[in-house]
Amino acid sequence: MKKNIFKIATLAAGIITTFALTSCDNNDTMEIPSSEKTITFENVVAPKDFVESGSFKGTTAPIITPGQSVSIKFSAGKAQSLMFATMYGASKDWFFASQQPGIKLFDNNGNAITGDVSSQVLLWDNGTKDNVSGQPESKPIAQVPGVTASQLMKLNLAYNDVSSEFTLTITNTSAGTGHETPFSPGVWAVSNYNGSQLLNSAPFFTPNALSNPEITDIAQMGDITKMVTSLNANTKVMTGLSPALVVVYNGDKNPIYELGQLDAGKGLKEIAQMGDVNKLQNSLKALPNVKGVYIAGNAPVAPGAKVMTKFQSNPGDKIAYVTMFGFSNDWFYANEQSIDANTKGDLTSKTTLFDSGTGIDQYPGAGNHQALFGGTPQAESKVIAKVGNVFPIPAVQNVLKVTIN
């Protein structure tokens, strides 16, 4: 699978503001000398090519015979496409698929494309068997001449704007065409998008190049086993992180959020939806029990990158932090447990992924209302809660590492 350099684009306009790295000290004097430490936030995500993938087959038997239909449900944002592949069964090594990087799902204005998109399907010759004798050959993948794929296969798209979920219905319309054929079980995938480009812009195969074992098995035998294995190994939700806000405070109540309560309107929503720390930073500075507010970083934090900030604390102080799960509608990482500001070492185990309850959730990294795609979450009003298992979210330690030194 093709690897691309990961570059996170701006999540929202507010995220690129230059942030002050010094604290707001609400006390003019300190009787006890303060100590200085450094807190670091590291994005440890291992990016994969695909955000979502799967397979499909007939409803009564694995093959899809003339007149039968199957449907695929998947999520996507306006930069993403759907690639699929299935064998033209009455051939030696032909398969259906679209142009790279897949079926176009949104128009140039960012509107979802719905209805008949059959014109986007093509018929390909895998180049590994002679079309008459079936003897092995070694030719590059090329379109099959003289056959219009859209006459054999109908593709219809439906779209749910709230969930940003598409339904693609594939119908075998080859009966009576002179190229009547069953379709084999097939595979599909949506490439991960990093804010500026797809991580795999040529999924499954490369036109005008020799084939690979995964697509060859589909084209010659309708066997998707190898491709499914490959897709499973290369499919994973990933994310960027926003600059992190750190607060040093006194008392028992975390000033950033309160589990089970509605968002207080002090700026958590802006972090959770857009990665913008400004409003919460200013709100926290005004609280009497807050000793200092610090910001780590001034731009989105890509996988492999890290940000840090120094902070001042005294004996008895506590520390709390928050950063956006960037490829979401309104999720944030924060410490669930109370943390002594004089703690040193790895704090990752004290960190939890929360839903701010201010925006309707969509598949992470594949939702058109997410800031990643220039969207605005559709409003909801729910209490702050831990993110559940509706989506395949990586464990915290596979996304974020938090340490104090």
Side-chain angles (χ1 to χ4, degrees), residues 176-188:
T177 62
H179 293 282
E180 187 167 329
T181 181
F183 305 155
S184 74
V187 289
W188 61 269

Side-chain angles (χ1 to χ4, degrees), residues 22-27 30 34-37 39 245-251 253-256 284-285 287-295 309-322 335 339-342 404:
T22 58
S23 71
C24 169
D25 191 344
N26 294 327
N27 298 314
M30 292 185 182
S34 64
S35 62
E36 184 178 76
K37 297 181 182 65
I39 185 168
L245 180 146
V246 180
V247 57
V248 177
Y249 67 100
N250 293 138
K253 186 177 179 180
N254 187 324
I256 293 175
L284 292 176
K285 285 180 180 179
L287 297 179
N289 66 325
V290 168
K291 307 287 290 295
V293 183
Y294 306 81
I295 306 299
T309 182
K310 296 183 182 297
F311 67 91
Q312 300 282 339
S313 65
N314 295 304
D317 288 344
K318 295 180 179 179
I319 190 172
Y321 50 84
V322 59
N335 56 296
I339 299 175
D340 188 316
N342 293 303
I404 293 180

Side-chain angles (χ1 to χ4, degrees), residues 167-374:
T167 300
L168 175 69
T169 300
I170 302 173
T171 303
N172 187 331
T173 57
S174 66
T177 62
H179 293 282
E180 187 167 329
T181 181
F183 305 155
S184 74
V187 289
W188 61 269
V190 177
S191 294
N192 257 316
Y193 178 69
N194 66 15
S196 61
Q197 63 184 22
L198 297 173
L199 266 64
N200 192 326
S201 59
F204 296 6
F205 69 98
T206 302
N208 303 314
L210 294 179
S211 189
N212 55 69
E214 293 83 5
I215 205 71
T216 294
D217 274 9
I218 294 175
Q220 292 186 170
M221 299 177 290
D223 185 351
I224 62 174
T225 305
K226 288 181 181 177
M227 184 65 83
V228 168
T229 299
S230 177
L231 289 175
N232 288 341
N234 286 285
T235 301
K236 181 182 178 181
V237 169
M238 67 177 192
T239 187
L241 303 171
S242 73
L245 180 146
V246 180
V247 57
V248 177
Y249 67 100
N250 293 138
D252 297 327
K253 186 177 179 180
N254 187 324
I256 293 175
Y257 76 98
E258 188 172 355
L259 191 65
Q261 299 295 314
L262 293 173
D263 176 75
K266 296 180 179 180
L268 179 63
K269 170 185 173 181
E270 284 69 21
I271 291 180
Q273 291 192 6
M274 298 178 290
D276 184 354
V277 301
N278 285 322
K279 184 176 179 179
L280 184 59
Q281 181 183 27
N282 292 329
S283 296
L284 292 176
K285 285 180 180 179
L287 297 179
N289 66 325
V290 168
K291 307 287 290 295
V293 183
Y294 306 81
I295 306 299
N298 59 8
V301 187
K306 57 186 173 183
V307 292
M308 61 188 70
T309 182
K310 296 183 182 297
F311 67 91
Q312 300 282 339
S313 65
N314 295 304
D317 288 344
K318 295 180 179 179
I319 190 172
Y321 50 84
V322 59
T323 180
M324 179 189 183
F325 184 104
F327 290 8
S328 73
N329 296 74
D330 66 336
W331 296 351
F332 64 93
Y333 287 110
N335 56 296
E336 182 177 1
Q337 305 173 36
S338 176
I339 299 175
D340 188 316
N342 293 303
T343 299
K344 288 187 177 182
D346 194 332
L347 304 182
T348 307
S349 64
K350 300 180 182 295
T351 308
T352 300
L353 181 61
F354 295 97
D355 185 335
S356 73
T358 59
I360 295 175
D361 291 335
Q362 298 172 328
Y363 199 101
N368 207 35
H369 289 281
Q370 294 165 1
L372 172 68
F373 300 100

Side-chain angles (χ1 to χ4, degrees), residues 64-69 87-90 96 123 147-154 170-184:
I64 304 159
T65 57
Q68 290 187 333
S69 298
M87 180 187 183
Y88 177 110
F96 292 97
L123 185 57
V147 181
T148 303
S150 60
Q151 294 178 353
L152 312 179
M153 175 183 288
K154 181 179 180 181
I170 302 173
T171 303
N172 187 331
T173 57
S174 66
T177 62
H179 293 282
E180 187 167 329
T181 181
F183 305 155
S184 74

